[in-house]
Amino acid sequence: MSIAEVQAFSPSSGRLADHTTPFVRNEWYVAALSEEIDRTLRDRWLLGVGVLLYRKSDGSPAALKNRCPHRSFPLSRGTLDGDEVTCGYHGLTFGPDGACTRIPSQEVVPDVVRTRSFPVVEQAPLIWIWMGDPALADPTTIPEHPWLDMPDYTHVGGYQHVKCNYVRLHENVLYLTHFPFLHGEALGDVAYAQAPFEVAAEGNSVRITRRLEDHPVNAGYGAAIGNLGHRVNRTSESWFKTPAFHVAHATVEDLEGGVEGRTDFHFKILHMFTPESATTTHYFWASARDVKIDDQAFSEAGRKRTVSVFLEDVEALERIEAIWTREDDDFQEISVAGDRAGLLMRRIIARRAAQGA
Amino acid sequence: MSIAEVQAFSPSSGRLADHTTPFVRNEWYVAALSEEIDRTLRDRWLLGVGVLLYRKSDGSPAALKNRCPHRSFPLSRGTLDGDEVTCGYHGLTFGPDGACTRIPSQEVVPDVVRTRSFPVVEQAPLIWIWMGDPALADPTTIPEHPWLDMPDYTHVGGYQHVKCNYVRLHENVLYLTHFPFLHGEALGDVAYAQAPFEVAAEGNSVRITRRLEDHPVNAGYGAAIGNLGHRVNRTSESWFKTPAFHVAHATVEDLEGGVEGRTDFHFKILHMFTPESATTTHYFWASARDVKIDDQAFSEAGRKRTVSVFLEDVEALERIEAIWTREDDDFQEISVAGDRAGLLMRRIIARRAAQGA
Amino acid sequence: MSIAEVQAFSPSSGRLADHTTPFVRNEWYVAALSEEIDRTLRDRWLLGVGVLLYRKSDGSPAALKNRCPHRSFPLSRGTLDGDEVTCGYHGLTFGPDGACTRIPSQEVVPDVVRTRSFPVVEQAPLIWIWMGDPALADPTTIPEHPWLDMPDYTHVGGYQHVKCNYVRLHENVLYLTHFPFLHGEALGDVAYAQAPFEVAAEGNSVRITRRLEDHPVNAGYGAAIGNLGHRVNRTSESWFKTPAFHVAHATVEDLEGGVEGRTDFHFKILHMFTPESATTTHYFWASARDVKIDDQAFSEAGRKRTVSVFLEDVEALERIEAIWTREDDDFQEISVAGDRAGLLMRRIIARRAAQGA
């Protein structure tokens, strides 16, 4: 793609998703970490909708619209008995399918009295939700993320609330030139920012692969591998899979003998973005590695480092969202060559949104 | 009214008052408690209008629009001299009829320089205001509330600011099935919630009468009467009189001999709702009884209990208002048979609002 | 102008500037005090636009739009190297003319990649900025304010953020009848409020001259001059020069012999209003005098007194702005004879705004 082609994207806000684009509803999003949901009634806003999350008697998760269809009281302020939830205002009771099973002040319960239920699928440590047309909810389309289960990998993870639109979070992880400027050199230096990259689109997914050859290992991966000071080939494959899911495959190939005979090391960073509203996002993440997999102390230190880095992203993106909110002029973003993957992603989201929720 | 008829109300937001309905201005509303108003300049927002309240030299209340017609400075930040108020910005002076009597920088005061005055009527402990067409202000249409003066009654009262639309507060007190679910069983248990009721509309007022026969007295009334453990007939008559005024008549008939030979006991709960804005309300209330009328300690304990209960209503209604504000979808309330009185009330308010302020 | 003529202004909100009027962009505004700007990257919102202010290597000020044209990150969060600013997100670098000089992830920098730069002129202690068409920026049109430099004058100054529209601040200083009502008698008593005045319009400027003859000197000027108790002639010439600049010339002529043989004393109060948004204003001010020019302690006391008075104006104007924001009715201001200068000023601003930014 030439610069001219890239520029041609920019003024077309009608074609590039941004904070004004409707949500893509026919998609699986992470609703919660498995550990967050139990027999208490928990509420969370997802794609602009208040959702009630709880576990049924058999341990499986359930999700209802968290708004009594009668007078809008949040069902999460009611009570759970077996699999049924009773509203804490006038006492209407609803099953996990959304149907009303009792109205205290009358004997007959009309069929029309029901709240919405949402398909949910647990793949520990994650619980996925489908906010679109239930007839289209196919669990086999949940993006694969095997590294959270594989015996030769370990991972850490977390959650962060972010006051910015989810599209900007996707764009952030598709353009890693920001590493040295926003995060300092531990993640990647200016040579990494300038490394050549290739972009590939496949259906509704986009991949950008950046490769930096024969360069000193960055501090972050060097600490994990134990090869600080060695020269390595580093490959970063950032993959936008769905509006809800991005995975980065990072591979480090040690050019100076490696560590204890091993020369290839793998890192998988999962970014799971669930819109809360047009300008806020639930950011679930996990970072898996196939090195030092039994070193709990290292994992904990790595978790803290990752949180610290993500908070830098969050601060930057919240500042950007605030500028969009405050500055009421005819600002048009200008894109550069490195934005190609992000722009393709934004075209995909805009197209899917236009196709209807 | 059949379920089908009740359902037929629901989708007709054009016919049922809600937070989008204009205020009914041609009506008397409680502006303040008598004890709140004195020779200081007090401001309060009523029906979306900033109002200045004070007492004239003769002790009678006055109400002006609290916005200098010159440059919008709040008159409540000025000074009171006799019956006249001088603006604290450029010194214009206004009488209690709203006419300007002095402009410091010129000798002639044109007739056009005046602020609005509002008819006010004191019926201690309440001061009523008319925010509509002054030509229609007839004090004889102020709803009667004799129990605040009658020698065989005593009462407690109070004020609560609520962050919800006043129509929801009316609906709340017309559908008492919420008692056990929101307040616990002291006010009424599930049998009370399920008790049969009758609805009657008369002109622009609506009454719902709920009767629970031969049932243990509820803890609240039992404590007042001193007949805890006795079986009673309980009648609750909830009466929407005007958009500003609701009175509940509760009667307890002791079926096990009563107390000291007396078997009938009466409680009158007055709810006076004055909209502050579309989403906030001044809630004035009084609770009168014809039992233990000289027991000050019991009155004080009762006042505290009532405040505690009303704060539960307030919390629930504020949560509901917040959901209406936040969730931007095509939510349609579903009504049940017990809503009949509330729906009739909402039709009355919608019709009166449509007839013009 | 007759009362009838003045009234004729009032309903014409289309012709009188208020908080809904677009900003007059083709004008010099004070961006900052000289002492505020150095080699750090400072951001300030001016006329609704986020602006980055800094000094170049040669010490002269520079102003850029504080929003990276790439992905809206505030440039003030980046780094300054020589005269160039590097964005703290993806590392794009911009010169003080707004042109991009480096994009880390590509070799060619297209001309289209640039941020806006604004003409700035320093006339210590003030830095002026032009937010309109750069081709029209003529530094000779910056209003004169020689008293900040003249050897026979001394001055104090300051800055105040105000939550009101700048037009109301102009109106405030054109109608000094508010002195005794808002500030007490130290600035001027009721006789001052009632003193005759003349209004003169010249092109796009307006002047109102108020003259109070043979009256005891007011406490404020009396303290500066040292002639408390003397009768004086006082002339106040309040001059709206531009939407950004107002100067008041106050002259006191001592009628009882003066102080040490001198009878004429001069005060120059500069009000520099720079809109931050439609409802907030940067208020820069300076107060110069040709008496007690070497008395530092008196200057400091005077500065404190002036701040105290301005905070009374600020409180009043913020209350007024809040009423305009909150009260959603068809309020129409009524004007009086003393408003003539303010109304002319509002016509000028409305006309200039209508002529285009």
Side-chain angles (χ1 to χ4, degrees), chain B residues 168-183:
Chain B
R168 295 193 221 290
L169 280 156
H170 274 295
E171 203 165 39
N172 183 60
V173 291
L174 281 170
Y175 189 25
L176 301 184
T177 292
H178 77 263
F179 274 5
F181 301 102
L182 186 59
H183 301 303

Side-chain angles (χ1 to χ4, degrees), chain A residues 64-337:
Chain A
L64 296 177
K65 187 169 166 71
N66 187 28
R67 179 177 187 170
C68 182
H70 173 238
R71 283 298 177 273
S72 294
F73 194 68
L75 295 177
S76 59
R77 305 292 300 181
T79 51
L80 176 63
D81 184 12
D83 293 354
E84 295 189 328
V85 178
T86 294
C87 179
Y89 191 8
H90 297 102
L92 279 68
T93 300
F94 300 90
D97 63 350
C100 182
T101 58
R102 185 181 70 139
I103 303 175
S105 56
Q106 69 194 59
E107 298 205 355
V108 177
V109 177
D111 286 347
V112 72
V113 185
R114 57 181 306 125
T115 192
R116 195 172 165 197
S117 77
F118 302 99
V120 279
V121 171
E122 182 160 22
Q123 293 181 348
L126 303 173
I127 296 174
W128 298 80
I129 193 167
W130 181 273
M131 306 286 291
D133 179 354
L136 304 178
D138 174 4
T140 66
T141 65
I142 293 174
E144 293 184 357
H145 46 83
W147 316 279
L148 306 187
D149 281 329
M150 291 167 73
D152 46 350
Y153 275 82
T154 188
H155 73 272
V156 293
Y159 166 85
Q160 178 67 40
H161 184 267
V162 192
K163 291 192 285 292
C164 88
N165 177 268
Y166 79 112
V167 176
R168 294 194 222 288
L169 279 156
H170 274 295
E171 202 166 40
N172 183 60
V173 291
L174 280 171
Y175 189 25
L176 301 184
T177 292
H178 78 262
F179 275 6
F181 301 102
L182 185 59
H183 301 302
E185 300 210 336
L187 297 194
D189 58 14
V190 173
Y192 181 79
Q194 294 173 333
F197 52 84
E198 291 186 355
V199 174
E202 299 171 23
N204 280 335
S205 76
V206 178
R207 189 174 67 227
I208 178 168
T209 308
R210 181 183 292 257
R211 187 166 168 85
L212 179 61
E213 301 197 337
D214 196 7
H215 194 75
V217 69
N218 63 302
Y221 288 154
I225 298 166
N227 67 344
L228 284 168
H230 287 205
R231 299 186 77 82
V232 302
N233 290 338
R234 176 179 176 190
T235 308
S236 306
E237 190 182 79
S238 300
W239 205 325
F240 166 79
K241 290 281 195 173
T242 78
F245 186 86
H246 174 108
V247 58
H249 302 275
T251 305
V252 175
E253 178 191 359
D254 191 307
L255 302 179
E256 300 189 46
V259 176
E260 297 173 6
R262 180 176 166 197
T263 56
D264 284 3
F265 307 91
H266 302 89
F267 303 85
K268 312 287 179 180
I269 303 99
L270 285 64
H271 304 278
M272 291 153 291
F273 302 128
T274 307
E276 182 189 52
S277 70
T279 55
T280 57
T281 302
H282 302 290
Y283 181 2
F284 302 92
W285 62 271
S287 177
R289 66 180 192 275
D290 68 353
V291 59
K292 284 193 185 161
I293 64 172
D294 296 321
D295 188 338
Q296 299 287 328
F298 184 81
S299 288
E300 177 55 18
R303 194 191 58 75
K304 286 184 181 169
R305 264 199 311 275
T306 306
V307 168
S308 165
V309 165
F310 286 175
L311 287 177
E312 292 169 341
D313 291 303
V314 166
E315 186 192 350
L317 291 163
E318 293 189 347
R319 287 184 187 280
I320 288 168
E321 192 72 52
I323 284 184
W324 276 100
T325 299
R326 179 166 183 179
E327 199 163 70
D328 178 26
D329 61 4
D330 55 354
F331 183 81
Q332 292 283 359
E333 289 181 339
I334 295 173
S335 294
V336 299

Side-chain angles (χ1 to χ4, degrees), chain A residues 3 7 171-172 175 177-178 181-182 193-194 197 315-317 319-320 323-324 326-327 329 331-337 339 343 346, chain C residues 45 48-50 65-74 77 86-92 102-106 110 112-114 276:
Chain A
I3 296 289
Q7 296 302 339
E171 202 166 40
N172 183 60
Y175 189 25
T177 292
H178 78 262
F181 301 102
L182 185 59
Q194 294 173 333
F197 52 84
E315 186 192 350
L317 291 163
R319 287 184 187 280
I320 288 168
I323 284 184
W324 276 100
R326 179 166 183 179
E327 199 163 70
D329 61 4
F331 183 81
Q332 292 283 359
E333 289 181 339
I334 295 173
S335 294
V336 299
D339 290 311
L343 295 174
R346 288 169 68 182
Chain C
W45 289 78
V49 177
K65 188 169 164 70
N66 188 28
R67 180 176 187 170
C68 182
H70 173 237
R71 283 300 177 270
S72 294
F73 194 69
R77 305 292 299 182
T86 294
C87 180
Y89 192 8
H90 297 102
L92 279 68
R102 184 180 70 140
I103 303 175
S105 56
Q106 68 194 59
V112 72
V113 186
R114 56 181 306 126
E276 182 188 54

